[in-house]
């Protein structure tokens, strides 16, 4: 809008005041660039010792041992990717369902409270999710694990023998080692709930912006509600929805405390679907404060640097998709 | 698009039972999905209200945490620490954020505009824990753990949110108002400061409130910056506690009386956050 202002506007009578104002605003805005560059510089500088010591092997090595000063981020990278993508796979259909419900099915008196409620989900702090997961969800998961034990006593012995030999099988992967409750599964559940509102609210906004001509044309041709949604609305909103999904992925990758409270924080790959493991963010939260040796600290900062780059790429992609691929008229 | 339209045209006068069934079934799935989305939220609220209210007492607001091993105590240190650090964060977030918003909205042809917009978008997605690491090596390494460091970390998290919301509301101010000001011979800076910004104030305040509500719940960046403090401390030069951080420490401590406090703290925190976002929302609606 302001583009229409004449170029000479800033060169009017009191141009000195304009110059000062412009410099002030620009100077303060440059802080945003400074924060970005400073973050890369500081994280890069502090992770240099770890980068020198472990090189690219840091990304794939699976040993994380402060005693021998060997650090590899493999398990944490795997933990981050597994929890995030699993949470995404579960949350996307649910988020889409709630977005479609709010935009297409619900009457206004129901649509407003539901979309407000879903937005409240985004406002609940990470620690509160963690606390709830720890004291409300964990006992349920524990009981479920216990019931697996009592229902399949043969499987228990079979799996523990297999694991004793360092082996695993498909069914044993879904069979808990011990009914601890904490671990991968609980982390995935809590992440799913936490990222739901991001996809849901973006999807709802994009669906609402689909021109009503499009719906009416389909209805006029005799289409059912689901046909209208699946053929006239969802394809049209596809790009925006994808952007929302990637945005949610970014949240999931960086989510820290709720995950740190429930995942068990063992720097190993999870042996079972229920087993303890760690994510990059949960590892930073858990170990940075206690890390004594320089190399340990530096390795943790390198985890932070990795998270930084991943979230920059993911967020940039999401914004691009939302802005560029959404059909014209929907922005 | 036209091809899909043709395919969905019904052949006869009435809908085939197959299409009707699919329609009903998908409607059922969608409603079920929505229920599954809303259920945990209601569960969390009920849980927090029942558990949190049971553990709330006046001591919660007036006492500091009891020494290790003793029951009782409260979150006075965490509440005051949160307030102090949020105040510091608000100053940073408002000054840089609103300036950034003004820059993006009022100087759209500046060569740095696309860069700053992109970076502020990208910064909004940086995990809070990483911001904590950055502030650690920037401030804590030299000056030690402090409320200032914690406030700075929260302020950095606020900036992108405030930039975005203030840019949007500034763009809503009609161009005619700016033109009227310029036509009267006012320089651009006076038009922006005295006409455009006041017109957008309520929107900007909303953005700031929402940003504050968002960072008020962050504990991750405080772990290595404000560090936490079990004593009542109002001096931001020293380590400070904050509500979410104290909740994190107490919830994972394994002591029953600490867990009780963490539950009460969660209820208080969530009520504060919802009140702030509700206030922000009603303020915009009235405008």
């Amino acid at each position: 809008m302001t583009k229409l202002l004449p170029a000479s506007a800033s060169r009017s009578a009191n141009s000195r005041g304009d110059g000062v104002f412009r410099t002030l605003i620009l100077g303060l805005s440059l802080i945003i660039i400074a924060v970005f560059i400073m973050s890369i510089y500081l994280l890069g500088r502090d992770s240099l010792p770890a980068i020198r010591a472990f090189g690219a092997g840091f990304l794939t090595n699976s040993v994380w041992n402060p005693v021998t000063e060997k650090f590899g981020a493999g398990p944490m990278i795997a933990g981050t990717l597994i929890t995030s993508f699993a949470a995404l796979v579960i949350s996307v259909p649910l988020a889409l369902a709630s977005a479609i419900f709010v935009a297409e099915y619900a009457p206004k008196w129901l649509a407003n409270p539901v979309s407000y409620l879903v937005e409240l989900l985004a406002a609940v702090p990470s620690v509160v999710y963690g606390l709830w997961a720890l004291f409300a969800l964990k006992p349920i998961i524990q009981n479920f694990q216990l019931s697996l034990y009592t229902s399949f006593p043969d499987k228990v012995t079979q799996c523990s023998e297999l694991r004793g030999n360092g082996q695993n099988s498909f069914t044993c992967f879904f069979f808990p080692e011990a009914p601890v409750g904490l671990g991968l599964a609980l982390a995935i559940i809590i992440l799913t709930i936490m990222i739901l509102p991001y996809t849901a609210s973006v999807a709802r906004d994009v669906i609402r912006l689909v021109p009503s001509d499009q719906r009416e044309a389909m209805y006029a041709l005799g289409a059912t509600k689901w046909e209208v949604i699946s053929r006239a609305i969802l394809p049209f909103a596809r790009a925006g929805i994808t952007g929302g999904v990637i945005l949610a992925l970014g949240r999931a990758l960086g989510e820290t405390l709720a995950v740190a409270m429930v995942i068990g924080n063992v720097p190993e790959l999870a042996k079972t679907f229920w087993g303890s493991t760690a994510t990059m963010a949960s590892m930073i939260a858990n170990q940075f404060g206690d890390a004594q040796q320089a190399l340990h600290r530096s390795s943790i900062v390198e985890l932070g640097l990795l998270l930084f780059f991943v979230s920059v790429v993911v967020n940039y992609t999401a914004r691009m998709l939302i802005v560029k691929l959404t059909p014209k008229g929907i922005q | 698009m036209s091809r899909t339209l043709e395919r969905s045209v019904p052949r006869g006068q009435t809908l085939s039972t197959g299409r009707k069934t699919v329609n009903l079934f998908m409607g059922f799935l969608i409603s079920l999905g929505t229920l599954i989305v809303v259920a945990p939220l209601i569960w969390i609220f009920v849980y927090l209200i029942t558990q949190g209210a049971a553990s709330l007492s006046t001591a919660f607001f007036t006492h500091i945490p009891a020494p290790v091993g003793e029951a009782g105590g409260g979150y006075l240190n965490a509440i005051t620490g949160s307030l102090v650090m949020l105040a510091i964060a608000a100053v940073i977030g408002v000054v840089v954020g609103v300036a950034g918003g003004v820059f993006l909205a009022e100087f759209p042809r500046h060569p740095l505009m696309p860069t700053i917009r992109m970076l502020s978008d990208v910064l909004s997605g940086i995990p809070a824990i990483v911001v904590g690491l950055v502030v650690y090596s920037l401030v804590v390494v030299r000056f030690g753990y402090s409320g200032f460091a914690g406030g700075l970390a929260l302020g950095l998290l606020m900036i992108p949110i405030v930039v975005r919301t203030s840019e949007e509301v500034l763009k809503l101010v009609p161009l005619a108002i700016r033109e009227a000001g310029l036509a009267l011979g006012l320089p651009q800076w006076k038009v922006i400061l005295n006409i455009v910004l006041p017109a957008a104030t309520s929107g900007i305040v909303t953005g700031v409130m929402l940003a504050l509500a968002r960072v008020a719940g962050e504990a991750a960046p405080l772990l290595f910056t404000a560090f936490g403090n079990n004593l009542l401390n109002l001096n931001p030069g020293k380590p400070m506690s904050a509500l979410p951080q104290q909740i994190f420490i107490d919830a994972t401590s394994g002591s029953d009386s600490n867990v009780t406090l963490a539950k009460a703290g969660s209820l208080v925190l969530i009520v504060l956050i919802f009140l702030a976002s509700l206030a922000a929302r009603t303020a915009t609606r009235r405008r």
Side-chain angles (χ1 to χ4, degrees):
Chain A
M1 250 194 259
T2 45
K3 261 181 234 150
L4 298 176
L5 276 179
S8 58
S10 61
R11 268 177 263 123
S12 59
N14 294 24
S15 61
R16 191 177 299 163
D18 275 351
V20 171
F21 182 73
R22 198 179 264 262
T23 318
L24 183 72
I25 291 292
L26 181 63
L28 288 170
S29 305
L30 285 178
I31 292 180
I32 296 165
I33 299 184
V35 168
F36 186 79
I37 295 174
M38 185 188 70
S39 304
I40 295 179
Y41 168 73
L42 291 173
L43 293 172
R45 185 195 65 186
D46 289 358
S47 48
L48 213 55
I51 295 173
R52 282 216 188 97
F54 308 114
F58 185 77
L59 302 179
T60 49
N61 283 348
S62 59
V63 179
W64 182 278
N65 191 339
V67 180
T68 57
E69 296 212 35
K70 289 268 177 289
F71 298 103
M76 276 71 79
I77 294 175
T80 309
L81 293 179
I82 292 168
T83 50
S84 301
F85 280 101
L88 215 55
V89 167
I90 306 172
S91 78
V92 166
L94 292 174
L96 271 181
S98 78
I100 295 171
F101 181 81
V102 164
E104 300 294 322
Y105 280 85
K108 207 164 181 200
W109 62 266
L110 189 59
N112 282 340
V114 168
S115 57
Y116 186 57
L117 273 176
V118 172
E119 234 131 80
L120 284 186
L121 269 174
V124 175
S126 183
V127 266
V128 175
Y129 276 116
L131 178 124
W132 175 69
L134 211 49
F135 298 108
L137 286 185
K138 195 187 96 173
I140 296 175
I141 298 228
Q142 255 174 325
N143 281 335
F144 180 72
Q145 290 174 336
L146 267 178
S147 71
L148 276 179
Y149 272 86
T150 45
S151 322
F152 307 98
D154 299 342
K155 199 77 198 158
V156 177
T157 36
Q158 192 197 333
C159 283
S160 68
E161 269 172 28
L162 261 180
R163 287 192 193 109
N165 300 330
Q167 288 171 311
N168 213 332
S169 74
F170 183 74
T171 43
C172 283
F173 181 73
F174 290 97
F175 216 84
E177 284 188 285
V180 188
L182 295 180
L184 196 58
L186 191 50
I188 291 172
I189 295 175
I190 202 71
L191 267 182
T192 303
I193 299 174
M194 291 183 75
I195 63 175
L196 262 171
Y198 296 99
T199 320
S201 65
V202 174
R204 185 200 57 212
D205 290 346
V206 193
I207 289 173
R208 275 191 179 154
L209 285 170
V210 173
S212 44
D213 303 9
Q214 196 132 333
R215 293 184 182 86
E216 282 156 16
M218 281 285 289
Y219 282 126
L221 291 169
T224 63
K225 189 155 208 153
W226 171 246
E227 284 162 351
V228 172
I229 292 167
S230 63
R231 294 184 196 163
I233 295 177
L234 289 183
F236 212 69
R238 184 178 57 221
I241 292 173
T242 314
V245 170
I246 297 176
L247 215 59
L249 173 67
R251 292 284 156 185
L253 292 169
E255 192 43 62
T256 309
L257 284 185
V259 174
M261 287 162 90
V262 300
I263 202 167
N265 295 300
V266 184
E268 289 168 7
L269 284 173
K271 286 191 196 71
T272 74
F273 175 64
W274 313 91
S276 287
T277 179
T279 66
M280 297 197 273
S282 80
M283 206 61 182
I284 300 172
N286 241 281
Q287 295 206 342
F288 186 75
D290 305 324
Q292 297 299 326
Q293 311 110 309
L295 200 56
H296 189 188
R297 215 157 237 222
S298 174
S299 303
I300 296 171
V301 179
E302 193 177 345
L303 289 179
L305 184 69
L306 284 175
L307 261 187
F308 184 92
F309 278 130
V310 171
S311 51
V312 168
V313 171
V314 167
N315 268 281
Y316 187 72
T317 318
R319 307 276 170 184
M320 282 297 146
L321 273 177
I322 293 176
V323 174
K324 291 237 160 120
L325 291 180
T326 306
K328 286 186 186 83
I330 307 182
Q331 275 189 6
Chain B
M1 199 42 79
S2 61
R3 213 184 312 140
T4 55
L5 286 180
E6 274 161 31
R7 235 192 292 140
S8 62
V9 176
R11 297 266 178 251
Q13 282 294 321
T14 50
L15 293 176
S16 71
T17 40
R19 291 174 54 216
K20 263 195 225 163
T21 321
V22 169
N23 185 43
L24 276 176
F25 181 67
M26 292 316 291
F28 169 73
L29 274 192
I30 287 168
S31 316
L32 184 71
T34 312
L35 264 181
I36 297 175
V37 170
V38 178
L41 182 79
I42 294 170
W43 187 3
I44 291 174
F45 284 156
V46 172
Y47 181 83
L48 282 180
I49 291 169
T50 51
Q51 302 273 316
S55 5
L56 262 183
S57 61
T58 46
F60 178 85
F61 297 100
T62 53
H63 284 62
I64 61 171
V68 180
E70 279 178 41
Y75 273 20
L76 181 63
N77 62 331
I79 295 169
T80 53
S82 266
L83 291 178
V84 172
M85 286 193 276
L86 285 175
I88 297 168
V91 172
I92 298 167
V94 169
V95 171
V96 181
V98 173
V102 169
F103 178 77
L104 295 184
E106 306 293 326
F107 305 114
R109 279 166 309 166
H110 195 284
L112 281 175
M113 198 295 252
T115 315
I116 291 183
R117 168 175 287 150
M118 191 200 75
L119 286 187
S120 74
D121 272 355
V122 160
L123 279 179
S124 73
I126 304 293
I129 186 100
V130 176
V131 174
L133 283 179
V134 170
V135 174
Y136 178 87
S137 26
L138 184 73
V139 180
V140 178
V141 167
R142 257 164 279 170
F143 306 105
Y145 299 110
S146 67
F148 280 123
L152 175 64
L154 297 184
L156 293 182
L157 288 171
M158 274 181 76
I159 290 174
I161 312 174
V162 179
V163 169
R164 249 280 104 91
T165 46
S166 32
E167 183 198 354
E168 310 256 293
V169 288
L170 284 170
K171 280 186 170 168
L172 288 178
V173 176
L175 188 65
I177 293 187
R178 290 170 233 252
E179 281 170 346
L182 290 170
L184 289 171
L186 286 175
Q188 196 188 4
W189 69 276
K190 276 197 177 162
V191 172
I192 294 173
L193 273 187
N194 295 340
I195 299 174
V196 179
L197 275 176
T201 304
S202 76
I204 293 176
V205 170
T206 308
V208 172
M209 292 280 280
L210 288 177
L212 270 176
R214 172 132 172 60
V215 299
E218 289 285 359
L222 299 179
L223 295 176
F224 334 122
T225 53
F227 193 70
N229 189 341
N230 268 343
L231 303 172
L232 180 61
N233 169 33
L234 295 173
N235 172 8
K238 295 224 172 73
M240 269 192 162
S241 197
L243 262 175
Q245 190 182 9
Q246 195 82 39
I247 294 169
F248 174 63
I249 294 168
D250 285 344
T252 50
S253 72
S255 130
D256 281 348
S257 87
N258 286 357
V259 169
T260 314
L261 278 176
K263 286 175 180 168
S266 298
L267 179 64
V268 171
L269 180 63
I270 221 166
V271 166
L272 287 177
I273 287 176
F274 286 166
L275 282 182
S277 36
L278 198 68
R281 264 164 225 277
T282 43
T284 22
R285 209 164 285 161
R286 213 170 281 154
R287 192 159 54 95

